[in-house]
Coordinates of all heavy atoms in Angstrom, one line a residue:
A128 N 51.3 98.8 225.0 CA 51.8 98.6 226.4 C 51.1 99.7 227.2 O 50.8 100.7 226.8 CB 53.3 98.8 226.5
A129 N 50.9 99.3 228.5 CA 50.2 100.2 229.4 C 51.0 101.5 229.6 O 52.3 101.5 229.7 CB 50.0 99.5 230.8
G130 N 50.3 102.6 229.5 CA 51.0 103.9 229.8 C 51.5 104.6 228.6 O 51.9 105.8 228.7
T131 N 51.5 104.0 227.5 CA 52.0 104.7 226.2 C 50.8 105.0 225.3 O 51.0 105.8 224.4 CB 53.0 103.8 225.6 OG1 52.5 102.5 225.2 CG2 54.2 103.6 226.4
S132 N 49.7 104.3 225.4 CA 48.6 104.6 224.5 C 47.3 104.2 225.1 O 47.3 103.4 226.1 CB 48.8 103.9 223.1 OG 48.8 102.5 223.4
S133 N 46.2 104.7 224.6 CA 44.9 104.3 225.0 C 44.5 103.0 224.4 O 44.8 102.7 223.2 CB 43.9 105.4 224.7 OG 44.2 106.6 225.3
V134 N 43.7 102.2 225.0 CA 43.2 100.9 224.5 C 41.7 101.1 224.2 O 41.0 101.5 225.1 CB 43.5 99.8 225.5 CG1 42.9 98.5 224.9 CG2 45.0 99.6 225.7
Y135 N 41.3 100.8 223.1 CA 39.9 100.9 222.7 C 39.3 99.5 222.5 O 39.9 98.6 221.9 CB 39.7 101.7 221.4 CG 40.2 103.1 221.6 CD1 41.5 103.5 221.2 CD2 39.4 104.1 222.0 CE1 41.9 104.8 221.3 CE2 39.9 105.4 222.1 CZ 41.1 105.7 221.8 OH 41.6 107.1 221.9
L136 N 38.0 99.4 223.0 CA 37.3 98.1 222.8 C 36.4 98.3 221.6 O 35.7 99.2 221.4 CB 36.5 97.7 224.0 CG 37.3 97.5 225.3 CD1 36.3 97.2 226.5 CD2 38.1 96.3 225.1
E137 N 36.5 97.4 220.7 CA 35.7 97.4 219.5 C 34.2 97.1 219.8 O 33.9 96.2 220.6 CB 36.2 96.3 218.5 CG 35.4 96.4 217.1 CD 36.0 95.4 216.1 OE1 37.0 94.7 216.5 OE2 35.4 95.3 215.1
Q138 N 33.4 97.9 219.3 CA 31.9 97.7 219.7 C 31.3 96.5 218.8 O 31.7 96.4 217.6 CB 31.1 99.0 219.3 CG 31.6 100.2 220.0 CD 31.4 100.0 221.5 OE1 30.3 99.7 221.9 NE2 32.5 100.3 222.3
G139 N 30.4 95.7 219.5 CA 29.9 94.6 218.8 C 28.8 93.9 219.6 O 29.0 93.6 220.7
N140 N 27.6 93.7 219.0 CA 26.6 93.0 219.6 C 26.1 93.6 220.9 O 25.7 92.9 221.8 CB 27.0 91.5 219.8 CG 27.4 90.8 218.5 OD1 26.8 91.0 217.5 ND2 28.4 90.0 218.6
G141 N 26.3 94.9 221.0 CA 25.8 95.5 222.2 C 26.5 95.3 223.5 O 26.2 95.6 224.6
D142 N 27.7 94.6 223.4 CA 28.5 94.3 224.6 C 29.6 95.1 224.8 O 30.6 94.9 225.7 CB 28.9 92.8 224.5 CG 29.8 92.4 223.4 OD1 30.2 93.4 222.6 OD2 30.2 91.3 223.2
G143 N 29.8 96.2 224.0 CA 30.9 97.1 224.2 C 32.3 96.4 223.8 O 33.3 96.9 224.2
G144 N 32.2 95.3 223.1 CA 33.4 94.7 222.8 C 34.0 93.9 223.8 O 35.2 93.4 223.7
R145 N 33.3 93.6 224.9 CA 33.9 92.9 226.1 C 33.8 91.4 226.0 O 34.3 90.7 226.9 CB 33.3 93.5 227.3 CG 33.7 94.9 227.7 CD 33.0 95.5 228.7 NE 33.6 96.8 229.2 CZ 33.6 98.0 228.6 NH1 32.8 98.0 227.4 NH2 34.1 99.0 229.0
T146 N 33.1 90.9 225.0 CA 33.1 89.4 224.8 C 33.6 89.2 223.4 O 33.5 90.1 222.5 CB 31.7 88.8 224.9 OG1 30.8 89.4 223.9 CG2 31.1 89.1 226.3
N147 N 34.2 88.1 223.2 CA 34.8 87.8 221.9 C 35.9 88.8 221.5 O 36.0 89.2 220.3 CB 33.8 87.6 220.8 CG 32.9 86.5 221.0 OD1 33.3 85.4 221.4 ND2 31.6 86.8 220.7
A148 N 36.6 89.3 222.6 CA 37.6 90.3 222.3 C 38.9 89.8 221.7 O 39.1 88.6 221.8 CB 37.9 91.0 223.6
S149 N 39.6 90.6 220.9 CA 40.8 90.2 220.3 C 42.0 90.8 221.0 O 41.9 91.8 221.5 CB 40.8 90.7 218.8 OG 39.7 90.2 218.1
L150 N 43.0 90.0 221.1 CA 44.2 90.4 221.7 C 45.3 90.7 220.7 O 45.4 90.1 219.7 CB 44.8 89.3 222.6 CG 46.0 89.6 223.5 CD1 45.6 90.7 224.6 CD2 46.4 88.3 224.2
G151 N 46.1 91.8 221.0 CA 47.2 92.2 220.0 C 46.8 93.2 219.2 O 45.7 93.8 219.2
G152 N 47.7 93.7 218.4 CA 47.4 94.9 217.6 C 48.6 95.2 216.6 O 49.7 94.7 216.8

């Protein structure tokens, strides 16, 4: 949830994880 932890984007294919991103954890 926002405000309780940092969100990290997984690196992949040089896009910084901003495409084909996964939701949840």
Side-chain angles (χ1 to χ4, degrees):
T131 60
S132 63
S133 299
V134 177
Y135 296 93
L136 296 175
E137 183 178 358
Q138 301 298 312
N140 300 322
D142 62 1
R145 287 170 170 78
T146 62
N147 296 320
S149 299
L150 187 64

